[in-house]
Amino acid sequence: KPAIEPSLEAARRAVEVDPSRASAWAKLAYLEYMKAGKASPQSIEALSKSMEACPFCDQSLIRWRFNFVLANWNGMPEAIRLRAFEQADLLRWTGENTEFLTRMKATATQAGIPFGELQSAVNTPWRAWDLDPLPETTAIAPATEMKGSGG
């Protein structure tokens, strides 16, 4: 555990210098967790600050936080649990996250976490039309006329 102290101090300094760095807060959350051997009040506070600083800006960070919350479910306050599901809802709409979400659902179900129920209860602050349009290279081709449609 003593080897973690220099990294912990560096992470604390990083968030002091720039509290808007969500990834630095996440790193601090992880290091506090490693130091305590569990989700501690310090790790939960740092996780919460990461979620506040960047709710939807980085998919890999959203995935990490969601996994962290599920892995430490019993030690997480209800507000953090719900926020993790709210932020992870973005993953259903963008990027290649199907495999990740399937793994998270299986893990959560094994742990007795009502994944589907929580996912359905999400009140996402954005809607599909808020997302950026597909790039031209992946645009869907226009539908072709069906045979027998009378054209």
Side-chain angles (χ1 to χ4, degrees), residues 9-82:
E9 279 307 309
R12 288 177 183 147
R13 279 193 305 275
V15 296
E16 283 174 21
V17 169
D18 186 358
S20 71
R21 292 182 55 208
S23 57
W25 282 112
K27 184 170 202 134
L28 180 59
Y30 177 72
L31 291 168
E32 290 286 3
Y33 163 83
M34 291 300 291
K35 179 182 176 189
K38 64 179 184 173
S40 65
Q42 295 83 1
S43 66
I44 292 168
E45 180 183 355
L47 176 67
S48 179
K49 290 187 183 215
S50 175
M51 291 173 140
E52 290 167 17
C54 170
F56 303 106
C57 66
D58 181 333
Q59 289 184 48
S60 62
L61 185 56
I62 293 169
R63 284 191 298 269
W64 184 88
R65 291 187 306 222
F66 192 53
N67 185 39
F68 187 78
V69 168
L70 290 177
N72 295 284
W73 189 256
N74 293 330
M76 290 292 154
E78 187 68 16
I80 296 281
R81 292 173 176 179
L82 296 175

